[in-house]
């Protein structure tokens, strides 16, 4: 019985807890044992919070805290190391923050705790969430649990690998251009990026503020709905967290999708996409049809400009956000410097990794006088066109189906030396981020060499209920993935 606990979804663990068949401590211990056994191979966690998780578990087992108050009570989760937890090292995958201990909790952490969830640990990530493979971490790369010499995707690769390898019941990630959906796809789990403004980013270390969102990475769509329910909503501490009622995300899941119109964008099934990905996505589309949905071809004509626009906008915002790491206010400071300027230079040269420096340089350039109109302003205009594409498409369909990535997970090292190749792998996730709409990735198949393939379901702004419903119905109808090799 105990050996099977780590494989359970949040819903599955809750059933055992409520039936009194296991204690919260047993659940936490079984996951900690698994982390101890597998994390050396996977490198999914940067920090494991064994003591505090066991202390929290005890509160439930002694009856001090009540298990029946919330669907997350007694559930151990992992969180990406970009989220601040008071007193706990929050590295962002960077040397420059390797010893940073925030004096406060992110709003999402406070909300999860309020709901009775426990934090098992902080997960590995691309430095400052910049990357698509989790190879850009100062703490070493994460390995894909399906194939250890492959990447788990990024930048929330640690969270996705931890969920896929059954090291936690669920996790939080952050998504600026695909960092929840793409690693979820590569690791065969569920990843939801909510609408921009749905979840408070207070306490999320900023990468690109007009794009960043926090969201769940889970084993099932129902679990994603449960986590979103706990973290969504207005927050006076984040002016971008919209003051709009949070609907009930689980009650819509079981509604059939017969009669819904699902859009298939012709620009997403282009040449160059891996044939196995295309086949798996088209099989899922067929499943949607068999469930009674009407499949309509749609066009998102500005898709091809997504990468160019994103890789101007995101680095520009990053160059501004990362100016704060100057060796004075936060984190690492180089010990040897003759004067202030040299201290800045040495701190930032040693503290940041190559990809972060590349982005700061690109971003600073595109924001500089004389270039702003040609780059940042132009990219913002293109962004509006991409947003309009979606607004137009959602007049013809209720949700959109698309691949999450053009290929399954690639080998560690395969794209690391070629940033452009790495950027190209974001082609299907960036447009939804630029438009601010919600998107989920669910597993829809497996490649011939045993790597999962992800299907994306996109919805209109604040359309999480329809996204979750379509994803849940497809998840129930699609064949399950074969057993993971790391069992
Ligand atoms: N891969 C994209 C990038 O490198 C997206 C990252 C993210 O969503 N945080 O910027």
């Amino acid at each position: 019985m105990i050996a099977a606990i780590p494989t359970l979804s949040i819903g599955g663990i809750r059933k055992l807890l409520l039936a009194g068949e296991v204690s919260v401590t047993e659940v936490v211990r079984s996951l900690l044992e698994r982390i101890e056994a597998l994390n050396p191979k996977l490198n999914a966690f940067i920090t494991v919070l064994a003591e505090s998780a066991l202390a929290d578990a005890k509160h439930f087992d002694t009856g001090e805290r009540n298990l029946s108050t919330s669907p997350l009570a007694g559930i151990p989760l992992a969180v990406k190391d970009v989220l601040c937890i008071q007193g706990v090292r929050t590295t962002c995958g960077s040397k420059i923050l390797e010893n940073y201990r925030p004096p406060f909790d992110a709003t999402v952490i406070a909300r999860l705790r309020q709901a009775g969830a426990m934090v098992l640990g902080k997960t590995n990530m691309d430095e400052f969430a910049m990357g698509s493979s989790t190879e850009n971490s100062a703490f070493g790369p994460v390995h894909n649990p399906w194939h250890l010499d492959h990447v788990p995707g990024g930048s929330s690769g640690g969270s996705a690998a931890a969920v896929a390898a059954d090291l936690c019941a669920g996790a939080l990630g952050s998504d600026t251009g695909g960092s929840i959906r793409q690693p979820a796809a590569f690791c065969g789990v569920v990843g939801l990026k909510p609408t921009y403004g749905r979840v408070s980013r207070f306490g999320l270390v900023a990468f690109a503020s007009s794009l960043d969102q926090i969201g769940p990475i889970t084993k099932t769509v129902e679990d994603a709905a449960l986590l979103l329910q706990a973290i969504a909503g207005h927050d006076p501490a984040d002016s971008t967290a919209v003051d709009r009622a949070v609907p009930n995300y689980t009650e819509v899941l079981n509604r059939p999708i017969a009669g819904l119109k699902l859009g298939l964008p012709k620009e997403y099934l282009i040449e160059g996409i891996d044939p196995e990905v295309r086949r798996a996505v088209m099989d899922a589309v067929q499943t949607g049809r068999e469930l009674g949905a009407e499949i309509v071809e749609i066009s998102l004509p500005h898709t091809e400009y997504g990468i160019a626009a994103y890789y101007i906008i995101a680095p520009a915002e990053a160059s501004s956000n990362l100016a704060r790491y100057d060796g004075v206010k936060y984190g690492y400071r180089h010990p040897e410097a003759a004067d202030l300027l040299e201290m800045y230079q040495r701190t930032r040269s040693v503290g940041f990794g190559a990809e972060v420096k590349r982005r700061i340089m690109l971003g600073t350039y595109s924001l500089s006088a004389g270039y702003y109109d040609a780059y940042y302003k132009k990219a913002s205009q293109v962004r509006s066109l991409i947003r309009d594409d979606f607004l137009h498409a959602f007049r013809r369909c209720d949700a959109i189906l698309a691949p999450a990535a053009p290929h399954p997970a690639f080998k560690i090292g395969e794209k690391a030396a070629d940033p452009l190749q790495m950027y190209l792998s974001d082609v299907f996730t960036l447009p939804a981020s630029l438009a601010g709409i919600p998107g989920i990735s669910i597993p829809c198949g497996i490649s011939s060499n045993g790597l999962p393939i992800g299907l994306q379901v996109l919805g209109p702004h604040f359309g999480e209920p329809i996204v979750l419903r379509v994803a849940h119905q497809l998840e129930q109808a699609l064949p399950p993935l074969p057993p993971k090799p790391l069992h």
Side-chain angles (χ1 to χ4, degrees):
M1 169 66 79
I2 301 293
I5 293 174
T7 64
L8 296 173
S9 64
I10 294 175
I13 292 177
R14 283 286 296 168
K15 271 193 203 123
L16 290 188
L17 287 175
L18 290 177
E21 287 184 37
V22 291
S23 66
V24 180
T25 303
E26 279 169 319
V27 173
V28 171
R29 274 199 201 288
S30 68
L31 289 165
L32 288 173
E33 276 166 26
R34 203 164 157 86
I35 292 173
E36 208 174 308
L38 291 180
N39 200 51
K41 284 190 210 164
L42 296 169
N43 201 23
F45 281 90
I46 292 178
T47 304
V48 179
L49 300 169
E51 259 175 52
S52 65
L54 284 168
D56 290 344
K58 213 166 160 193
H59 291 141
F60 287 104
D61 293 337
T62 56
E64 254 167 276
R65 290 196 72 180
N66 191 338
L67 270 179
S68 58
T69 47
S70 139
L72 292 182
I75 296 299
L77 302 172
V79 301
K80 185 177 182 179
D81 209 14
V82 68
L83 290 164
C84 291
I85 302 185
Q86 186 176 2
V88 172
R89 183 166 82 127
T90 296
T91 69
C92 240
S94 182
K95 181 173 171 54
I96 216 157
L97 286 178
E98 69 186 340
N99 291 313
Y100 173 59
R101 287 172 196 274
F104 64 97
D105 280 338
T107 296
V108 291
I109 298 291
R111 290 193 174 160
L112 286 181
R113 289 227 176 101
Q114 177 83 27
M118 291 160 293
V119 182
L120 266 185
K122 315 272 318 271
T123 54
N124 204 348
M125 55 182 284
D126 283 304
E127 184 176 7
F128 284 101
M130 296 172 192
S132 313
S133 67
T134 318
E135 291 167 291
N136 300 333
S137 167
F139 298 85
V142 176
H143 300 259
N144 190 315
W146 290 82
H147 227 304
L148 290 177
D149 58 0
H150 283 63
V151 303
S155 64
S156 312
S159 285
V163 173
D166 301 322
L167 308 186
C168 58
L172 289 186
S174 66
D175 190 311
T176 302
S179 277
I180 289 175
R181 292 161 286 156
Q182 185 256 25
F186 281 14
C187 291
V189 293
V190 174
L192 169 70
K193 181 199 90 77
T195 306
Y196 184 78
R198 183 70 290 185
V199 177
S200 164
R201 289 106 40 93
F202 178 72
L204 169 78
V205 178
F207 162 12
S209 305
S210 75
L211 295 155
D212 299 339
Q213 259 297 289
I214 300 166
I217 297 182
T218 51
K219 298 182 189 189
T220 66
V221 176
E222 187 182 6
D223 285 358
L226 287 174
L227 282 187
L228 179 64
Q229 197 77 53
I231 61 174
H234 181 53
D235 176 12
D238 174 3
S239 60
T240 66
V242 178
D243 190 1
R244 179 178 170 131
V246 178
N248 185 321
Y249 293 118
T250 45
E251 78 183 6
V252 290
L253 297 179
N254 288 320
R255 280 195 212 150
I257 57 168
L260 288 186
K261 286 194 175 135
L262 301 179
L264 197 57
K266 60 174 192 225
E267 292 81 2
Y268 280 56
L269 293 158
I270 37 159
E271 240 175 85
I273 169 172
D274 182 295
E276 292 191 315
V277 170
R278 174 198 287 267
R279 204 182 48 229
V281 168
M282 291 317 288
D283 286 351
V285 168
Q286 180 56 25
T287 302
R289 209 176 263 128
E290 284 159 16
L291 292 174
E294 185 188 337
I295 307 296
V296 291
E297 192 187 79
I298 55 162
S299 175
L300 299 166
H302 298 94
T303 300
E304 65 174 304
Y305 305 110
I307 294 179
Y310 173 88
Y311 279 98
I312 294 289
I313 293 168
E317 295 183 13
S319 74
S320 165
N321 274 326
L322 271 57
R324 73 189 73 180
Y325 305 104
D326 56 3
V328 178
K329 296 188 279 297
Y330 303 92
Y332 174 79
R333 175 189 294 184
H334 198 281
E336 290 147 35
D339 56 28
L340 184 65
L341 189 61
E342 197 178 313
M343 192 280 283
Y344 288 156
Q345 281 168 343
R346 289 194 166 187
T347 295
R348 288 169 68 87
S349 301
V350 174
F352 289 134
E355 181 61 26
V356 172
K357 287 181 198 158
R358 181 180 296 120
R359 306 269 181 125
I360 292 172
M361 286 188 279
L362 285 170
T364 306
Y365 179 82
S366 63
L367 287 178
S368 55
Y371 294 104
Y372 177 89
D373 282 358
Y375 293 106
Y376 191 79
K377 192 169 162 210
K378 200 68 174 174
S380 302
Q381 288 165 334
V382 171
R383 180 180 191 171
S384 298
L385 295 174
I386 289 173
R387 189 171 186 272
D388 289 348
D389 280 357
F390 281 108
L391 297 183
H392 189 73
F394 286 123
R395 285 195 217 121
R396 295 197 50 221
C397 62
D398 300 293
I400 293 172
L401 302 182
H407 41 62
F410 43 91
K411 280 203 164 135
I412 292 177
E414 191 179 318
K415 295 182 196 283
D418 186 346
L420 203 56
Q421 279 302 317
M422 193 72 89
Y423 300 169
L424 288 174
S425 67
D426 300 337
V427 59
F428 298 140
T429 50
L430 299 178
S433 295
L434 290 165
I437 59 171
I440 197 168
S441 176
I442 60 167
C444 70
I446 190 122
S447 72
S448 47
N449 58 347
L451 288 159
I453 295 168
L455 171 79
Q456 236 186 144
V457 183
L458 304 172
H461 293 101
F462 297 96
E464 283 82 1
I466 191 107
V467 166
L468 287 161
R469 173 178 159 203
V470 171
H472 177 76
Q473 292 296 321
L474 288 172
E475 174 193 52
Q476 301 304 306
L478 286 167
L481 293 185
K484 278 162 281 190
L486 257 177
H487 266 250

